[in-house]
Amino acid sequence: MPFKSLICAITLAFTAMTAAVCDIEHAAPFWGASSSRTDHFYSTNYAQINNSRADGYEVQGRLGFIYRDPVVDSTIFFRLYNPTNYDHFYTVNSTRADEVIENQGYIDRGYVGYVYTTDICGSVPLYQLYKASATDHYYTANKTEADNAVSNDGYVLQGTAAYILPNL
Ligand SMILES: *[C@@H]1O[C@H](CO)[C@@H](O)[C@H](O)[C@H]1NC(C)=O
Ligand SMILES: *[C@@H]1O[C@H](CO)[C@@H](O)[C@H](O)[C@H]1NC(C)=O
Ligand SMILES: *[C@@H]1O[C@H](CO)[C@@H](O)[C@H](O)[C@H]1NC(C)=O
């Protein structure tokens, strides 16, 4: 085996081993806020969440943990915003991100952090809910809250947006 391939194989094996445990050390709290203009807004920056209160947002607390910087097996979690409908939308799918920018009036707001796309290392689903009448994406890792939003608030459960580290 050529030396480079050997190094590559070792690196891959090491990556697979280390991925078994979530990188808790580098995780950052993932905060949420909501506004009566029917927008849900998320950030790892508590000051940003706290400042949103000046714009009528209410701090909703911590959903779990994500990463500010890439870690093994993580994926960028894009952040998009529709200023006409006041909707923050988060996705790991870059094609989908491009699509809503081109066709649905969303603006590229960079990324909110890094997440997983599978339930590796003890990560949990971050559910994505959507209310078309309010153009509102709502995210929660709490299944009871997701079910309540569907039963009582007219949201549709669209699936799992990402996998995040659970609230401890
Ligand atoms: C949140 O913002 C308020 C002002 O609106 C400030 O008094 C308070 O100290 C802030 N809290 C934190 C934890 O930053
Ligand atoms: C990503 O988004 C595109 C465009 O909406 C869609 O066709 C594709 O199925 C999505 N990929 C995944 C993995 O969901
Ligand atoms: C999930 O949401 C329900 C309803 O709001 C709440 O009673 C419960 O404490 C939450 N569970 C966790 C683990 O936060």
Side-chain angles (χ1 to χ4, degrees):
M1 189 184 281
F3 185 66
K4 262 192 182 159
S5 307
L6 182 65
I7 295 292
C8 185
I10 290 170
T11 307
L12 282 176
F14 184 69
T15 302
M17 271 166 57
T18 51
V21 177
C22 287
D23 190 349
I24 291 163
E25 202 182 314
H26 293 109
F30 189 47
W31 303 103
S34 73
S35 116
S36 55
R37 285 191 310 208
T38 57
D39 183 35
H40 289 84
F41 163 61
Y42 303 89
S43 181
T44 61
N45 181 340
Y46 189 78
Q48 218 173 59
I49 290 289
N50 194 33
N51 289 343
S52 75
R53 296 194 305 174
D55 293 323
Y57 284 78
E58 201 176 295
V59 176
Q60 298 237 291
R62 197 180 65 200
L63 285 76
F65 297 82
I66 66 170
Y67 301 101
R68 292 201 176 102
D69 299 303
V71 298
V72 173
D73 288 334
S74 68
T75 300
I76 195 160
F77 202 20
F78 297 105
R79 169 169 52 195
L80 300 119
Y81 181 60
N82 187 323
T84 309
N85 299 309
Y86 305 110
D87 184 43
H88 284 87
F89 170 52
Y90 302 83
T91 182
V92 295
N93 184 335
S94 60
T95 311
R96 182 75 190 132
D98 289 342
E99 208 171 67
V100 300
I101 290 168
E102 273 165 41
N103 308 327
Q104 292 178 35
Y106 284 79
I107 292 167
D108 181 355
R109 282 278 178 89
Y111 61 94
V112 66
Y114 291 81
V115 292
Y116 297 116
T117 56
T118 59
D119 63 347
I120 55 168
C121 71
S123 57
V124 297
L126 178 68
Y127 301 105
Q128 178 174 306
L129 298 113
Y130 184 63
K131 188 176 187 172
S133 63
T135 319
D136 186 36
H137 287 92
Y138 163 51
Y139 299 83
T140 179
N142 181 327
K143 189 61 167 59
T144 309
E145 275 181 16
D147 290 343
N148 284 345
V150 171
S151 305
N152 309 324
D153 274 335
Y155 284 81
V156 171
L157 181 59
Q158 293 191 314
T160 300
Y163 290 83
I164 67 170
L165 277 58
N167 246 339
L168 301 173

